[in-house]
């Protein structure tokens, strides 16, 4: 894994108390970056995660708030930047939700409700826009970078539901336009994970986990650290890369058809 020296840098990672977000927080903190960890105010994992990271000598702080809330999301970003000393070098828009605990195939239109649409739109798509908009002045001042977490569901995979896939396709489009909006001072890119072994609200049976690994060319599922490695590269390296979406799926979308 590429190592970075990020002392003096600051970052905000949404959905940072578990999974891809937590792996990214660890990578940034281990490189010397000061990190604000966004989490829902009632997430029981956050306090333990922050205590563990601080015990390991890392400079992290709590940034509670829902990115799916039109008022609370931007307010959280503004407070996090203030708590970080008024500087923000990196923003990782990782927070997301499937809005369902079980897969909804494209044929099950009756299960795609208005409530499901509202939930995934508010968190997965509008949440990314809100956080990026609120952070834009600080990111541009620091000549920083943004990474949005999309999904192969936004490309050519059904995902947990067609509503979820549509929001992730929106993130990919939004990434390009945010890259235009923040240029030339700051860069904006995205990653599109395939199947990831991480805490997630959609239930996966062992059979389905094995099937997704077998379909991938590399014959395994992503670990959160696999995504964190690419995210750190897009944040701290890749100086001439902006507006791009990097697929990280072990070749799952290249399976024989």
């Amino acid at each position: 894994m590429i190592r970075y020296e990020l002392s003096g840098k600051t970052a905000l990672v949404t959905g940072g108390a578990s999974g891809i977000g937590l792996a990214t927080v660890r990578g940034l903190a281990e490189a010397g970056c000061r990190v604000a960890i966004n989490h829902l105010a009632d997430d029981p994992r956050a306090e333990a995660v922050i205590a563990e990271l601080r015990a390991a000598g890392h400079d992290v702080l709590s940034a509670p708030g829902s990115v799916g809330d039109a008022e609370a999301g931007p307010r959280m970003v503004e407070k996090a930047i203030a708590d970080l000393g008024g500087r923000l070098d990196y923003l990782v828009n990782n927070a997301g939700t499937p809005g369902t605990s079980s897969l909804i195939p494209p044929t099950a239109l009756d299960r795609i409700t208005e409530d499901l649409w509202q939930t995934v739109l508010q968190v997965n798509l509008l949440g990314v826009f809100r956080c990026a908009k609120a952070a834009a002045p600080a990111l541009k001042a620091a000549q920083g970078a943004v990474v949005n977490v999309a999904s192969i569901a936004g490309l050519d995979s059904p995902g947990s539901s067609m509503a979820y896939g549509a929001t992730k396709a929106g993130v990919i489009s939004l990434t390009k336009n945010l890259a235009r909006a923040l240029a030339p001072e700051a860069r904006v890119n995205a990653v599109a994970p395939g199947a990831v072994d991480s805490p997630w609200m959609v239930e996966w049976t062992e059979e389905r986990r094995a099937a997704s690994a077998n379909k991938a060319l590399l014959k395994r599922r992503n670990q959160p650290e696999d995504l964190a490695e690419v995210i750190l590269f897009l944040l701290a390296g890749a100086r001439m890369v902006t507006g791009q979406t990097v697929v990280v799926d072990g070749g799952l979308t290249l399976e024989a058809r």
Side-chain angles (χ1 to χ4, degrees):
M1 185 171 179
I2 302 172
R3 300 294 176 184
Y4 300 96
E5 172 50 57
L6 302 180
S7 298
K9 302 291 188 180
T10 63
L12 169 61
V13 180
T14 69
S18 66
I20 296 169
L22 179 54
T24 302
V25 168
R26 290 187 191 280
L28 288 165
E30 289 170 359
C33 188
R34 190 176 190 212
V35 187
I37 302 173
N38 165 252
H39 56 87
L40 293 175
D42 60 354
D43 188 341
R45 299 167 295 186
E47 185 176 349
V49 162
I50 291 170
E52 176 195 342
L53 289 167
R54 286 175 175 169
H58 301 312
D59 190 357
V60 299
L61 56 93
S62 173
S66 171
V67 303
D69 186 294
E71 294 183 359
R75 188 165 59 241
M76 176 277 296
V77 173
E78 291 166 4
K79 186 176 186 305
I81 294 172
D83 291 345
L84 289 167
R87 178 189 178 102
L88 188 66
D89 295 276
Y90 307 128
L91 170 65
V92 180
N93 283 310
N94 166 72
T97 179
T100 175
S101 61
S102 59
L103 294 178
I104 302 177
T107 54
L109 288 176
D110 58 322
R111 293 174 60 193
I112 306 296
T113 64
E114 289 291 327
D115 285 344
L116 174 60
W117 271 110
Q118 285 301 316
T119 297
V120 296
L121 278 170
Q122 290 296 327
V123 176
N124 297 352
L125 185 54
L126 290 174
V128 172
F129 173 75
R130 291 177 185 130
C131 291
K133 181 180 180 181
L139 289 164
K140 293 175 76 172
Q143 297 190 340
V146 180
V147 174
N148 302 321
V149 178
S151 169
I152 60 170
L155 297 168
D156 190 22
S157 174
S160 57
S161 74
M162 66 171 64
Y164 177 83
T167 64
K168 292 302 186 178
V171 170
I172 292 169
S173 174
L174 181 61
T175 295
K176 296 175 183 178
N177 281 313
L178 287 173
R180 294 180 175 109
L182 271 63
E185 295 90 349
R187 297 178 298 106
V188 184
N189 291 291
V191 293
V196 184
D197 283 329
S198 67
W200 194 231
M201 287 180 280
V202 177
E203 298 172 357
W204 282 73
T205 65
E206 288 305 315
E207 290 78 10
R208 288 188 59 248
R209 289 180 185 275
S212 67
N214 287 333
K215 287 180 181 178
L217 297 183
L218 299 184
K219 302 303 179 186
R220 70 178 184 90
R221 290 163 59 87
N222 277 312
Q223 300 303 307
E225 293 74 18
D226 296 321
L227 275 301
E229 182 175 17
V230 179
I231 291 170
L232 260 68
F233 168 67
L234 291 173
L235 291 174
R239 293 187 301 170
M240 284 296 288
V241 179
T242 195
Q244 304 303 307
T245 296
V246 180
V247 175
V248 187
D249 70 346
L252 182 60
T253 49
L254 296 176
E255 62 177 299
R257 298 182 185 276

